[in-house]
Amino acid sequence: MKLPENLNQKLENSKRINTFRKLPAFNNLIDFSSNDYIGFSKSETIFRNVHAYLLENEIIQNGATGSRGVSGNHLLYPITEDFIAHFHDVETALIFNSGYDANIGFFSAVPQENDVVLYDELCHASIKDGIAISRAKSYQFIHNDFEDLEQFILKFSSSTIYIVTESIFSMDGDSPNLEELILLSEKYNCFLVIDEAHALGVFGEKGEGLIQYLQLHSRVFARIVSFGKAMGCHGAAVLGSSDLRDYLINFAQSFIYTTALSPHAVATIFMAYQQLEIEKETIEKLRQNIVFFNRQKNLLGLKPMFVHSKSTIHSAIVLGNENIKKLVQELQDKGFDVQSILSPIVPEGQERLRFCIHSYNSQEEINEVLELVRDFVF
């Protein structure tokens, strides 16, 4: 059966403006595109430890069971959630099936009809989708602009206010001034929620995340961590108080009406966290690569192209979808997997070449890919 005509028109329009996407084929190119920042998705150690743990404890069930409120709350859940809570120095952790599910569940359930949600304009789509489902009023503030945020706070000072941002933004890898943001939220008794998807496994002595690394975590209402990036596995968790956990168990629909993760999936989360505790050298290598990337782009005269970032994500502005597609193809032809962000995903004239840095990238690879960008641009 054919698509309805209005859907066909949308597809044709995406082809016309050069934003039509296909699923990428698997490749063996040098990885500058994945979120596997410390190589956990390829870790043989984690793979072996998961299977050994399941066999040792005679946990053989690995299929769908039901939601956690019915039959899916197997014994690995409390063990893993307690470990995560201890690791993140927080009262409780509640596992969701994905970062998308966690954001949808949290933001659709927690803010109430007369509440106000103020969120950074560059927050991830999963956050915006959750807020859209909520019955609360919501407004976006200018990216990392706390004067703009404060004006909204003053306008709605009689309401319960939730402030939402990311510690590391997924598009460009930049960060808000978290100390200033926390002081602002405390000044007006707002509830601050931080998405740490791209900070987990990257910042802190053990990769515990940026908020915890800065010792600010006790002053945040909730943190949301995703395991699909540096942890290399499925799932996510909301970190917060036991009352928040109880509330989400009772009212977050993406938690209530979702089949629970299998024991194998939860065991993988558990083993990944245990591995994170002993991966100091790998995390340090990642940090060295980030420093090297920044130094080399400066030496090659590329600094003006790049959005400021000290994280794993680095974006270079390359004007026009056609130009950036040509550059990506040239890099891939040379063996480097670097991805583009096209308009209208970003505004026209703000198209981006997006690099993700990993612990397993060599300095030679970093230098070579940046030299190719320089040669294309200049």
Side-chain angles (χ1 to χ4, degrees):
M1 182 179 292
K2 292 183 178 180
L3 281 176
E5 184 55 32
N6 57 344
L7 301 188
N8 266 321
Q9 288 176 2
K10 289 186 73 173
L11 273 179
E12 290 304 315
N13 186 56
S14 71
K15 293 175 184 177
R16 181 180 60 80
I17 62 176
N18 209 15
T19 60
F20 183 75
R21 285 176 286 183
K22 294 181 179 179
L23 292 177
F26 177 79
N27 64 64
N28 289 313
L29 302 177
I30 297 167
D31 182 8
F32 280 100
S33 69
S34 80
N35 298 142
D36 189 23
Y37 302 129
I38 51 177
F40 272 21
S41 75
K42 299 180 282 288
S43 171
E44 293 182 10
T45 300
I46 293 174
F47 180 84
R48 289 195 301 267
N49 288 348
V50 168
H51 289 271
Y53 184 86
L54 293 171
L55 287 171
E56 266 178 45
N57 293 277
E58 299 181 344
I59 302 169
I60 58 172
Q61 185 272 39
N62 195 31
T65 60
S67 71
R68 288 183 68 184
V70 180
S71 59
N73 195 36
H74 49 79
L75 60 90
L76 268 174
Y77 266 112
I79 294 171
T80 304
E81 287 173 337
D82 286 348
F83 191 93
I84 293 171
H86 179 76
F87 182 92
H88 286 293
D89 191 26
V90 69
E91 198 170 334
T92 63
L94 182 65
I95 291 175
F96 284 74
N97 284 23
S98 69
Y100 192 90
D101 284 325
N103 280 331
I104 289 288
F106 182 96
F107 291 108
S108 65
V110 174
Q112 299 298 292
E113 185 172 2
N114 295 316
D115 297 343
V116 172
V117 182
L118 305 176
Y119 62 96
D120 191 290
E121 63 181 342
L122 295 189
C123 277
H124 192 268
S126 59
I127 293 173
K128 294 179 180 179
D129 286 354
I131 292 170
I133 299 171
S134 167
R135 298 177 69 188
K137 299 181 180 69
S138 61
Y139 304 88
Q140 62 181 28
F141 58 89
I142 297 169
H143 181 50
N144 288 341
D145 187 332
F146 298 152
E147 290 184 6
D148 189 46
L149 172 60
E150 188 168 19
Q151 292 305 308
F152 279 112
I153 294 172
L154 291 170
K155 184 177 179 179
F156 300 106
S157 57
S158 61
S159 301
T160 297
I161 297 175
Y162 293 89
I163 300 172
V164 186
T165 192
E166 302 177 22
S167 61
I168 301 295
F169 280 88
S170 58
M171 182 67 73
D172 295 323
D174 59 328
S175 300
N177 184 326
L178 292 165
E179 294 91 341
E180 182 182 346
L181 181 58
I182 284 174
L183 287 173
L184 185 64
S185 68
E186 291 174 340
K187 179 180 178 181
Y188 295 104
N189 297 313
C190 300
F191 294 88
L192 182 59
V193 184
I194 307 287
D195 187 303
E196 288 243 271
H198 292 275
L200 177 62
V202 177
F203 291 90
E205 184 181 356
K206 299 184 295 183
E208 57 268 28
L210 186 55
I211 294 288
Q212 199 170 338
Y213 170 65
L214 296 173
Q215 290 295 298
L216 300 171
H217 53 289
S218 63
R219 299 162 67 184
V220 172
F221 175 64
R223 285 174 281 165
I224 300 170
V225 292
S226 174
F227 309 140
K229 278 68 178 176
M231 302 300 281
C233 54
H234 294 282
V238 176
L239 312 177
S241 68
S242 57
D243 287 341
L244 175 60
R245 174 187 162 89
D246 287 344
Y247 183 86
L248 292 170
I249 289 170
N250 282 275
F251 295 102
Q253 295 200 34
S254 67
F255 177 87
I256 297 168
Y257 298 112
T258 299
T259 299
L261 290 171
S262 68
H264 185 277
V266 180
T268 304
I269 297 168
F270 187 30
M271 292 299 118
Y273 262 99
Q274 292 198 4
Q275 191 67 22
L276 197 58
E277 287 205 309
I278 60 174
E279 285 286 345
K280 293 180 181 179
E281 289 184 11
T282 304
I283 296 170
E284 180 57 32
K285 179 63 166 58
L286 174 62
R287 294 194 187 112
Q288 291 172 7
N289 280 349
I290 293 169
V291 170
F292 184 79
F293 185 96
N294 275 318
R295 185 167 72 238
Q296 291 306 105
K297 73 175 172 45
N298 294 347
L299 288 173
L300 293 169
L302 297 173
K303 183 177 179 180
M305 292 178 58
F306 278 84
V307 178
H308 177 74
S309 169
K310 293 185 177 181
S311 74
T312 54
I313 302 167
H314 296 260
S315 288
I317 308 300
V318 179
L319 301 184
N321 286 350
E322 283 294 338
N323 283 334
I324 201 165
K325 282 189 170 184
K326 287 178 183 176
L327 176 52
V328 167
Q329 188 60 57
E330 183 168 321
L331 293 174
Q332 291 180 349
D333 289 344
K334 297 290 186 179
F336 295 96
D337 188 8
V338 183
Q339 296 299 313
S340 59
I341 309 294
L342 306 174
S343 60
I345 297 173
V346 292
E348 189 172 348
Q350 292 291 308
E351 294 82 9
R352 286 157 162 77
L353 187 68
R354 186 173 179 270
F355 294 85
C356 291
I357 312 302
H358 311 91
S359 60
Y360 48 84
N361 292 134
S362 70
Q363 292 190 351
E364 291 76 17
E365 291 167 350
I366 292 170
N367 187 61
E368 185 178 350
V369 75
L370 288 173
E371 285 183 339
L372 289 168
V373 174
R374 178 201 59 189
D375 293 344
F376 181 90
V377 172
F378 300 119

PDB file of all heavy atoms in Angstrom, residues 191-202:
ATOM      1  N   PHE A 191      13.647  23.711  40.925  1.00  0.00           N
ATOM      2  CA  PHE A 191      14.081  22.315  40.895  1.00  0.00           C
ATOM      3  C   PHE A 191      14.933  22.109  39.634  1.00  0.00           C
ATOM      4  O   PHE A 191      14.426  22.202  38.529  1.00  0.00           O
ATOM      5  CB  PHE A 191      12.881  21.376  40.902  1.00  0.00           C
ATOM      6  CG  PHE A 191      12.085  21.436  42.180  1.00  0.00           C
ATOM      7  CD1 PHE A 191      11.056  22.360  42.333  1.00  0.00           C
ATOM      8  CD2 PHE A 191      12.386  20.586  43.233  1.00  0.00           C
ATOM      9  CE1 PHE A 191      10.332  22.425  43.516  1.00  0.00           C
ATOM     10  CE2 PHE A 191      11.670  20.646  44.423  1.00  0.00           C
ATOM     11  CZ  PHE A 191      10.643  21.565  44.566  1.00  0.00           C
ATOM     12  N   LEU A 192      16.211  21.817  39.832  1.00  0.00           N
ATOM     13  CA  LEU A 192      17.151  21.713  38.728  1.00  0.00           C
ATOM     14  C   LEU A 192      17.322  20.256  38.301  1.00  0.00           C
ATOM     15  O   LEU A 192      17.617  19.389  39.126  1.00  0.00           O
ATOM     16  CB  LEU A 192      18.501  22.311  39.127  1.00  0.00           C
ATOM     17  CG  LEU A 192      19.605  22.331  38.068  1.00  0.00           C
ATOM     18  CD1 LEU A 192      19.171  23.109  36.833  1.00  0.00           C
ATOM     19  CD2 LEU A 192      20.878  22.942  38.655  1.00  0.00           C
ATOM     20  N   VAL A 193      17.158  20.009  37.002  1.00  0.00           N
ATOM     21  CA  VAL A 193      17.289  18.667  36.429  1.00  0.00           C
ATOM     22  C   VAL A 193      18.384  18.711  35.364  1.00  0.00           C
ATOM     23  O   VAL A 193      18.341  19.545  34.454  1.00  0.00           O
ATOM     24  CB  VAL A 193      15.963  18.195  35.797  1.00  0.00           C
ATOM     25  CG1 VAL A 193      16.100  16.760  35.291  1.00  0.00           C
ATOM     26  CG2 VAL A 193      14.814  18.314  36.797  1.00  0.00           C
ATOM     27  N   ILE A 194      19.363  17.812  35.481  1.00  0.00           N
ATOM     28  CA  ILE A 194      20.512  17.812  34.579  1.00  0.00           C
ATOM     29  C   ILE A 194      20.592  16.475  33.850  1.00  0.00           C
ATOM     30  O   ILE A 194      20.642  15.412  34.478  1.00  0.00           O
ATOM     31  CB  ILE A 194      21.842  18.030  35.339  1.00  0.00           C
ATOM     32  CG1 ILE A 194      21.777  19.287  36.217  1.00  0.00           C
ATOM     33  CG2 ILE A 194      23.004  18.094  34.355  1.00  0.00           C
ATOM     34  CD1 ILE A 194      21.825  20.579  35.468  1.00  0.00           C
ATOM     35  N   ASP A 195      20.639  16.535  32.522  1.00  0.00           N
ATOM     36  CA  ASP A 195      20.886  15.341  31.725  1.00  0.00           C
ATOM     37  C   ASP A 195      22.402  15.173  31.578  1.00  0.00           C
ATOM     38  O   ASP A 195      23.086  16.067  31.096  1.00  0.00           O
ATOM     39  CB  ASP A 195      20.231  15.493  30.348  1.00  0.00           C
ATOM     40  CG  ASP A 195      20.301  14.214  29.526  1.00  0.00           C
ATOM     41  OD1 ASP A 195      21.429  13.725  29.313  1.00  0.00           O
ATOM     42  OD2 ASP A 195      19.249  13.721  29.088  1.00  0.00           O
ATOM     43  N   GLU A 196      22.913  14.017  32.001  1.00  0.00           N
ATOM     44  CA  GLU A 196      24.360  13.767  32.001  1.00  0.00           C
ATOM     45  C   GLU A 196      24.745  12.656  31.006  1.00  0.00           C
ATOM     46  O   GLU A 196      25.765  11.991  31.192  1.00  0.00           O
ATOM     47  CB  GLU A 196      24.803  13.360  33.409  1.00  0.00           C
ATOM     48  CG  GLU A 196      24.805  14.511  34.410  1.00  0.00           C
ATOM     49  CD  GLU A 196      26.204  14.793  34.921  1.00  0.00           C
ATOM     50  OE1 GLU A 196      26.585  14.180  35.929  1.00  0.00           O
ATOM     51  OE2 GLU A 196      26.891  15.621  34.290  1.00  0.00           O
ATOM     52  N   ALA A 197      23.951  12.509  29.950  1.00  0.00           N
ATOM     53  CA  ALA A 197      24.180  11.406  29.006  1.00  0.00           C
ATOM     54  C   ALA A 197      25.602  11.386  28.462  1.00  0.00           C
ATOM     55  O   ALA A 197      26.218  10.321  28.350  1.00  0.00           O
ATOM     56  CB  ALA A 197      23.181  11.491  27.850  1.00  0.00           C
ATOM     57  N   HIS A 198      26.141  12.557  28.116  1.00  0.00           N
ATOM     58  CA  HIS A 198      27.460  12.607  27.486  1.00  0.00           C
ATOM     59  C   HIS A 198      28.576  12.954  28.479  1.00  0.00           C
ATOM     60  O   HIS A 198      29.712  13.198  28.050  1.00  0.00           O
ATOM     61  CB  HIS A 198      27.451  13.609  26.341  1.00  0.00           C
ATOM     62  CG  HIS A 198      26.606  13.170  25.185  1.00  0.00           C
ATOM     63  ND1 HIS A 198      27.068  12.339  24.190  1.00  0.00           N
ATOM     64  CD2 HIS A 198      25.294  13.415  24.895  1.00  0.00           C
ATOM     65  CE1 HIS A 198      26.101  12.111  23.328  1.00  0.00           C
ATOM     66  NE2 HIS A 198      25.017  12.747  23.725  1.00  0.00           N
ATOM     67  N   ALA A 199      28.264  12.960  29.762  1.00  0.00           N
ATOM     68  CA  ALA A 199      29.287  13.205  30.788  1.00  0.00           C
ATOM     69  C   ALA A 199      29.675  11.925  31.518  1.00  0.00           C
ATOM     70  O   ALA A 199      30.804  11.789  31.982  1.00  0.00           O
ATOM     71  CB  ALA A 199      28.786  14.239  31.799  1.00  0.00           C
ATOM     72  N   LEU A 200      28.747  10.970  31.606  1.00  0.00           N
ATOM     73  CA  LEU A 200      29.029   9.701  32.267  1.00  0.00           C
ATOM     74  C   LEU A 200      30.150   8.963  31.528  1.00  0.00           C
ATOM     75  O   LEU A 200      30.131   8.836  30.305  1.00  0.00           O
ATOM     76  CB  LEU A 200      27.764   8.841  32.293  1.00  0.00           C
ATOM     77  CG  LEU A 200      27.891   7.434  32.888  1.00  0.00           C
ATOM     78  CD1 LEU A 200      28.310   7.499  34.349  1.00  0.00           C
ATOM     79  CD2 LEU A 200      26.584   6.666  32.727  1.00  0.00           C
ATOM     80  N   GLY A 201      31.145   8.501  32.282  1.00  0.00           N
ATOM     81  CA  GLY A 201      32.262   7.791  31.698  1.00  0.00           C
ATOM     82  C   GLY A 201      33.358   8.690  31.177  1.00  0.00           C
ATOM     83  O   GLY A 201      34.401   8.199  30.732  1.00  0.00           O
ATOM     84  N   VAL A 202      33.151  10.000  31.238  1.00  0.00           N
ATOM     85  CA  VAL A 202      34.091  10.963  30.656  1.00  0.00           C
ATOM     86  C   VAL A 202      34.715  11.861  31.718  1.00  0.00           C
ATOM     87  O   VAL A 202      35.934  12.052  31.743  1.00  0.00           O
ATOM     88  CB  VAL A 202      33.386  11.824  29.580  1.00  0.00           C
ATOM     89  CG1 VAL A 202      34.334  12.887  29.028  1.00  0.00           C
ATOM     90  CG2 VAL A 202      32.825  10.943  28.460  1.00  0.00           C
TER      91      VAL A 202
END
